[in-house]
């Protein structure tokens, strides 16, 4: 069952695997439109290539974060990544991260063997996501993300805004007994 992230020496190389039709990084190379899921054989080959090239962790995403990408629901997201997660966690040489901002997907991913949740909207709902992650031997990547491109552009002090958001996250982590060493 995959390597636990706490056992990965840092710094490390993270490979990205997007199972989306509109991936900005690979153009949908690993997405099978017919099944709305993964091209499993291509995924296996890609994961082997990542580890051969030194990746210690792979980050699996089922929803594009491109600015104009359509939002999907957690069922669609899980249908895209569930089988890929099974393939990845079977590889003992890598740690598995799932890129999601959905608590439901995170819970399924952690139950399936992922040990990192990469939440690109982490400052929106840190408490809810941390409550899920803290019940597993897992880590949480939290990214600052404004609610829209327009709202962030209007902020007078963006660096101060980001610092304040992460200060709030650290206070919440302490409040719910979520170790900051897991963030």
């Amino acid at each position: 069952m995959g390597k636990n992230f706490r056992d990965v020496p840092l710094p490390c190389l993270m490979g990205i695997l997007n199972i989306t039709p509109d991936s900005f990084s690979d153009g949908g190379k690993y997405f099978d439109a017919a099944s709305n899921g993964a091209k499993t054989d291509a995924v296996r080959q890609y994961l082997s290539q990542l580890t051969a090239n030194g990746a210690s962790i792979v980050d699996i995403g089922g929803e594009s974060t491109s600015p104009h990408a359509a939002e999907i629901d957690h069922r669609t997201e899980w249908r895209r990544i569930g089988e890929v997660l099974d393939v990845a966690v079977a590889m003992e040489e890598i740690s598995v991260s799932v890129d999601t901002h959905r608590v439901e997907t995170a819970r399924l991913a952690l139950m399936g063997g992922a040990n990192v949740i990469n939440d690109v909207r982490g400052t929106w709902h840190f408490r809810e996501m941390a409550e899920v992650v803290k019940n597993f031997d897992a880590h949480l990547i939290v990214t600052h993300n404004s609610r829209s491109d327009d709202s962030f552009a209007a902020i007078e002090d963006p660096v101060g805004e980001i610092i304040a958001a992460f200060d709030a996250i650290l206070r919440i982590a302490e409040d719910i007994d979520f170790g900051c060493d897991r963030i």
Side-chain angles (χ1 to χ4, degrees):
M1 170 109 118
K3 182 185 286 188
N4 192 300
F5 183 70
R6 70 175 141 52
D7 299 327
V8 173
L10 299 177
C12 68
L13 180 64
M14 176 188 274
I16 306 298
L17 176 56
N18 291 317
I19 311 299
T20 65
D22 52 354
S23 172
F24 65 90
S25 66
D26 63 39
K29 182 176 180 180
Y30 302 103
F31 181 76
D32 179 13
S35 69
N36 196 26
K39 295 178 181 175
T40 307
D41 290 339
V43 165
R44 277 192 184 93
Q45 183 177 9
Y46 180 68
L47 289 172
S48 294
Q49 179 185 353
L50 282 176
T51 58
N53 288 326
S56 301
I57 184 169
V58 63
D59 188 52
I60 302 167
E63 178 179 33
S64 177
T65 55
S66 297
H68 303 292
E71 286 226 14
I72 59 173
D73 62 33
H74 80 274
R75 287 176 188 84
T76 301
E77 184 178 39
W78 184 250
R79 190 169 41 253
R80 290 178 179 179
I81 67 170
E83 186 177 334
V84 174
L85 179 67
D86 291 343
V87 172
V89 298
M91 301 176 73
E92 294 187 14
E93 62 268 37
I94 58 172
S95 181
V96 180
S97 170
V98 170
D99 178 348
T100 186
H101 61 90
R102 292 182 180 78
V103 171
E104 301 89 348
T105 303
R107 184 177 292 111
L108 290 170
L110 292 164
M111 289 170 42
N115 55 62
V116 177
I117 297 298
N118 178 9
D119 187 351
V120 298
R121 296 183 183 174
T123 54
W124 294 15
H125 57 208
F126 175 78
R127 180 180 300 270
E128 293 84 0
M129 189 65 83
E131 289 284 359
V132 169
V133 175
K134 82 177 196 174
N135 294 316
F136 294 86
D137 185 15
H139 289 76
L140 180 56
I141 297 172
V142 181
T143 302
H144 182 276
N145 189 325
S146 65
R147 293 193 183 264
S148 75
D149 293 336
D150 296 335
S151 68
F152 198 70
I155 295 172
E156 194 170 304
D157 179 13
V159 173
E161 169 69 24
I162 292 168
I163 291 169
F166 283 107
D167 280 345
I169 282 173
L170 295 176
R171 284 192 303 276
I172 293 167
E174 186 175 292
D175 184 50
I176 64 172
D177 198 29
F178 186 84
C180 290
D181 62 328
R182 295 172 60 189
I183 301 171

